[in-house]
Amino acid sequence: MSFKIASSPHQHNQLSTAQIMRLVAFACLPGIAVQAVLFGYGVIIQLLLAIVTAWCSEALVLKLRNKPILPRLKDNSALLTAVLLAIAIPPYAPWWIIVIGTAFAIIMVKQLYGGLGNNLFNPAMAAYVLLLISFPLQMTQWLPPLSLQSVSLTPADAVCAVFSQYSCSGFSLTQLQSSIDGITMATPLDTLRTDLSRGLTLDESLTKPVFFAFAGAGWLWVNLAYLLGGLLLIQQKIISWRIPVAVLASLFVLSSIASLAAPDTMAGPLFHLFSGGTMLAAFFIATDPVSASTTNRGRLIYGALIGVLVFLIRNFGGYPDAYAFAVLLANMAVPLIDYYTRPRTYGHRTRSER
């Protein structure tokens, strides 16, 4: 008999790593479908580009490292990284944005550290931060939902927009960002931040068409779809409930307190929970089994830390959504969190008992 020690991710169910990664990718499908319906065919094009780039990058590095290629590609970790990055960037970002980001995620963040199980940071979020800092203009050019767009795009228009930044009819991306009334639109989080910096009150900003009910137009349904997929992962015991619950609970509590203290300038908890990439980050990104905390208490602390950081960055930082930065900062704290929350070994005393 031999005792085999394997690197993370470790799961208590009987599924293989490939099956787990595939199920997580499948759980993203409701959110991807809603994004494509509400924001256009660019979502699908970015997904295809990301997946092809991820597979090619993974195969190239494995070849250089003299590692078996097909078995590593079949673990679906590169596929999942590509999916998470592709749905996080604007659907009509230039094609080279997703190619650079995906290659960086696979080559630099994953394979440079030894491959799956050895990366310190979430590859998709590390790549997202690289793109956001390096190409802020391209990474913030989100189009409004289709119901508010002045020009409807066909699949051919979507391909032209991704590869040339113009539709087949000659409309530029700036023109495509204009709503039906001719106003150039940004994401709900960015719109709210800009309006508050200009002296508008929260109620005045929320009257704009980019907002719907208590959240952003379109983003409410996107978040509900990812919430559905996340609940499926919890039900199948693919992810622990502790991280997403801690993320959402801490964000809910802080935003509730802030909105009560400053109702004219601080958005309420429902706005924060159902705008931007909240549900995607809470259920699919923060729960990465490699870069997240591994102890039960540690997962609660780790998730709560992400929620706190998101609240602080959204309200006082320079980036509207903030989840990528919050996840990476929390990844840095994981070794410390795990060290102080690891369960006591039977027969050993804790620090407080010494």
Coordinates of all heavy atoms in Angstrom, one line a residue, residues 212-216 219-220 223 251-252 255-256 259 267-276 278-279 314:
F212 N -33.0 49.8 -13.1 CA -34.2 49.1 -13.2 C -34.6 48.6 -11.8 O -33.9 47.9 -11.2 CB -34.2 47.9 -14.1 CG -35.4 47.1 -14.1 CD1 -36.6 47.5 -14.7 CD2 -35.4 45.8 -13.5 CE1 -37.7 46.7 -14.7 CE2 -36.5 45.0 -13.4 CZ -37.7 45.4 -14.1
A213 N -35.8 49.1 -11.3 CA -36.2 48.7 -9.9 C -35.1 49.0 -8.9 O -34.8 50.2 -8.8 CB -36.6 47.2 -9.9
F214 N -34.6 48.0 -8.2 CA -33.6 48.3 -7.2 C -32.2 48.0 -7.7 O -31.2 48.0 -6.9 CB -33.9 47.5 -6.0 CG -34.1 46.1 -6.2 CD1 -33.1 45.2 -6.4 CD2 -35.4 45.6 -6.3 CE1 -33.3 43.8 -6.6 CE2 -35.6 44.2 -6.5 CZ -34.6 43.3 -6.6
A215 N -32.0 47.7 -9.0 CA -30.7 47.3 -9.5 C -30.5 47.8 -10.9 O -31.3 48.6 -11.4 CB -30.5 45.8 -9.5
G216 N -29.4 47.4 -11.5 CA -29.1 47.9 -12.9 C -30.0 47.2 -13.9 O -30.3 46.0 -13.7
W219 N -28.7 43.8 -15.4 CA -27.9 43.2 -14.4 C -28.6 42.4 -13.3 O -28.1 41.5 -12.7 CB -26.9 44.2 -13.8 CG -26.0 44.7 -14.8 CD1 -26.0 45.9 -15.4 CD2 -24.8 44.1 -15.2 NE1 -25.0 46.0 -16.3 CE2 -24.2 44.9 -16.2 CE3 -24.2 42.8 -14.9 CZ2 -23.0 44.6 -16.9 CZ3 -23.0 42.5 -15.6 CH2 -22.4 43.3 -16.5
L220 N -29.8 42.9 -13.0 CA -30.7 42.2 -12.1 C -30.9 40.7 -12.5 O -30.7 39.8 -11.8 CB -32.0 42.9 -11.9 CG -33.1 42.1 -11.1 CD1 -32.6 41.9 -9.7 CD2 -34.4 42.9 -11.1
N223 N -27.6 38.6 -12.5 CA -27.3 38.1 -11.1 C -28.2 37.0 -10.7 O -27.8 36.1 -10.0 CB -27.3 39.3 -10.2 CG -26.0 40.1 -10.2 OD1 -25.0 39.7 -9.6 ND2 -26.0 41.2 -10.9
L251 N -21.5 42.1 2.7 CA -21.8 43.2 1.8 C -23.2 43.7 2.1 O -23.4 44.9 2.1 CB -21.8 42.7 0.3 CG -22.1 43.7 -0.8 CD1 -21.1 44.9 -0.7 CD2 -22.0 43.1 -2.1
F252 N -24.1 42.8 2.4 CA -25.5 43.2 2.8 C -25.5 44.1 4.1 O -26.1 45.1 4.2 CB -26.4 42.0 3.0 CG -27.8 42.3 3.4 CD1 -28.8 42.5 2.4 CD2 -28.2 42.4 4.7 CE1 -30.1 42.8 2.7 CE2 -29.5 42.7 5.1 CZ -30.4 42.9 4.1
S255 N -23.6 47.6 3.5 CA -24.4 48.5 2.7 C -25.7 48.9 3.3 O -26.1 50.0 3.1 CB -24.7 47.8 1.3 OG -25.3 46.6 1.5
S256 N -26.3 48.1 4.2 CA -27.5 48.4 4.9 C -27.1 49.6 5.9 O -27.9 50.5 6.0 CB -28.0 47.2 5.7 OG -28.5 46.2 4.8
S259 N -26.4 52.8 4.0 CA -27.6 53.5 3.4 C -28.4 54.1 4.5 O -29.1 55.1 4.2 CB -28.4 52.4 2.6 OG -28.9 51.4 3.4
A267 N -25.9 53.6 -1.8 CA -26.9 52.7 -2.3 C -27.2 51.6 -1.3 O -26.4 51.3 -0.4 CB -26.4 52.1 -3.6
G268 N -28.5 51.1 -1.4 CA -28.9 50.1 -0.4 C -28.4 48.7 -0.8 O -27.7 48.5 -1.8
P269 N -28.6 47.8 0.1 CA -28.0 46.4 0.0 C -28.5 45.7 -1.3 O -27.7 45.0 -1.9 CB -28.5 45.7 1.2 CG -29.7 46.5 1.7 CD -29.4 47.9 1.3
L270 N -29.8 45.9 -1.7 CA -30.3 45.1 -2.9 C -29.6 45.6 -4.1 O -29.3 44.8 -5.1 CB -31.8 45.3 -3.0 CG -32.6 44.6 -1.9 CD1 -34.1 44.9 -2.2 CD2 -32.3 43.1 -1.9
F271 N -29.2 46.9 -4.2 CA -28.5 47.4 -5.3 C -27.1 46.8 -5.4 O -26.7 46.4 -6.5 CB -28.4 49.0 -5.2 CG -27.5 49.6 -6.3 CD1 -28.1 49.8 -7.6 CD2 -26.2 49.8 -6.1 CE1 -27.3 50.4 -8.6 CE2 -25.4 50.4 -7.2 CZ -26.0 50.6 -8.4
H272 N -26.4 46.7 -4.3 CA -25.1 46.1 -4.3 C -25.1 44.6 -4.6 O -24.2 44.1 -5.3 CB -24.4 46.3 -3.0 CG -23.9 47.7 -2.8 ND1 -22.7 48.1 -3.4 CD2 -24.3 48.8 -2.1 CE1 -22.4 49.4 -3.1 NE2 -23.4 49.8 -2.3
L273 N -26.2 43.9 -4.2 CA -26.2 42.5 -4.4 C -26.6 42.1 -5.8 O -26.2 41.0 -6.3 CB -27.3 41.9 -3.4 CG -26.9 41.9 -1.9 CD1 -28.0 41.2 -1.1 CD2 -25.6 41.2 -1.6
F274 N -27.4 42.9 -6.5 CA -27.9 42.6 -7.8 C -27.4 43.5 -8.9 O -28.0 43.5 -10.0 CB -29.4 42.5 -7.8 CG -29.9 41.4 -6.9 CD1 -30.4 41.6 -5.6 CD2 -30.0 40.1 -7.4 CE1 -30.8 40.6 -4.8 CE2 -30.5 39.1 -6.6 CZ -30.9 39.3 -5.3
S275 N -26.3 44.2 -8.7 CA -25.7 45.0 -9.8 C -24.3 44.5 -9.9 O -23.6 43.9 -9.0 CB -25.7 46.5 -9.4 OG -27.0 47.0 -9.4
G276 N -23.7 44.6 -11.1 CA -22.4 44.2 -11.4 C -22.2 42.7 -11.4 O -23.2 42.0 -11.6
T278 N -21.8 40.6 -8.8 CA -21.9 40.1 -7.4 C -22.1 38.6 -7.3 O -21.3 37.9 -6.6 CB -23.0 40.9 -6.6 OG1 -22.7 42.3 -6.6 CG2 -23.1 40.4 -5.2
M279 N -23.1 38.1 -7.9 CA -23.4 36.7 -7.7 C -22.4 35.8 -8.5 O -22.0 34.7 -8.0 CB -24.8 36.4 -8.3 CG -25.9 37.1 -7.5 SD -25.9 36.6 -5.7 CE -27.1 37.8 -5.0
R314 N -16.0 49.8 -3.8 CA -17.1 50.4 -4.6 C -17.4 51.8 -4.1 O -17.7 52.7 -5.0 CB -18.3 49.5 -4.4 CG -18.4 48.3 -5.3 CD -19.7 47.6 -5.2 NE -19.8 46.4 -6.2 CZ -20.8 45.6 -6.3 NH1 -21.9 45.8 -5.5 NH2 -20.8 44.7 -7.2

